[in-house]
Amino acid sequence: MVEQSCGKGKSAVKARKLLSLFHYSAGQYEEALAVLRDLRAIAPDDIESLENTGVILRLMGRLQDAIAVLEEVHQIDPSRVNVCDALAHSYANLKDRENCQKFGRLSLERKDEEASRKVPLRDLSGETPSPFQLGGKKTNVISLSLWGAKPR
């Protein structure tokens, strides 16, 4: 059935990804896994389908299976934030504090790296903020640094 709905050729991989996403979004995890298994057969090097398999297994409560798949993805590409998140959650559910902290920390580090690359940061340490204006909702900004003694 998947073969008929997705066809063959270059567009087949994209079509299968979309179909698995549809099933995932509808909470049809078994169906999503079936499509992802089919996708892996035609595109065995597609890391995204392997990652999605791990995430869905975690959502299904199949934590040991999820961890095995997600660890495989992490070995291939340790920069994938979603994988670190899913591993941290999986280990937390298994009460494995050490691995939960390891992957939770990695996730936060990867997110920080991503954020640092996307937006050029401006050093405001030498600037005085404008005075607070009552009724000036668009001009009043209250902020704080979550970076403590390591401003960026």
Side-chain angles (χ1 to χ4, degrees):
M1 179 173 153
V2 171
E3 189 69 30
Q4 293 171 350
S5 63
C6 294
K8 296 180 180 181
K10 292 182 179 183
S11 64
V13 171
K14 183 177 180 180
R16 282 176 174 80
K17 285 182 182 182
L18 290 172
L19 182 59
S20 70
L21 179 60
F22 169 79
H23 286 302
Y24 163 80
S25 298
Q28 300 167 346
Y29 298 145
E30 289 292 346
E31 291 85 348
L33 284 177
V35 174
L36 289 168
R37 275 192 296 274
D38 186 57
L39 175 57
R40 294 281 297 158
I42 65 165
D45 295 330
D46 185 76
I47 192 168
E48 187 177 62
S49 63
L50 191 58
E51 177 180 339
N52 291 346
T53 298
V55 169
I56 291 171
L57 288 168
R58 184 185 78 76
L59 292 172
M60 294 174 71
R62 294 171 52 185
L63 299 176
Q64 296 295 348
D65 294 335
I67 287 171
V69 172
L70 293 165
E71 289 271 10
E72 181 181 346
V73 176
H74 184 69
Q75 290 298 315
I76 296 167
D77 184 0
S79 71
R80 298 179 83 85
V81 173
N82 198 35
V83 172
C84 293
D85 277 341
L87 282 166
H89 285 284
S90 297
Y91 282 120
N93 290 337
L94 293 174
K95 310 284 190 253
D96 183 340
R97 185 177 180 151
E98 182 179 333
N99 280 312
C100 175
Q101 289 177 339
K102 172 186 170 184
F103 286 104
R105 186 175 295 111
L106 279 173
S107 174
L108 291 173
E109 289 170 357
R110 300 300 178 265
K111 289 174 184 176
D112 184 43
E113 290 166 5
E114 278 185 19
S116 296
R117 285 192 305 264
K118 289 183 180 176
V119 179
L121 300 174
R122 184 173 156 199
D123 182 11
L124 300 175
S125 60
E127 296 185 30
T128 304
S130 59
F132 189 84
Q133 298 175 14
L134 292 174
K137 292 181 182 178
K138 292 185 179 183
T139 59
N140 295 325
V141 176
I142 300 172
S143 66
L144 60 106
S145 172
L146 299 177
W147 307 107
K150 295 182 181 179
R152 304 193 283 154

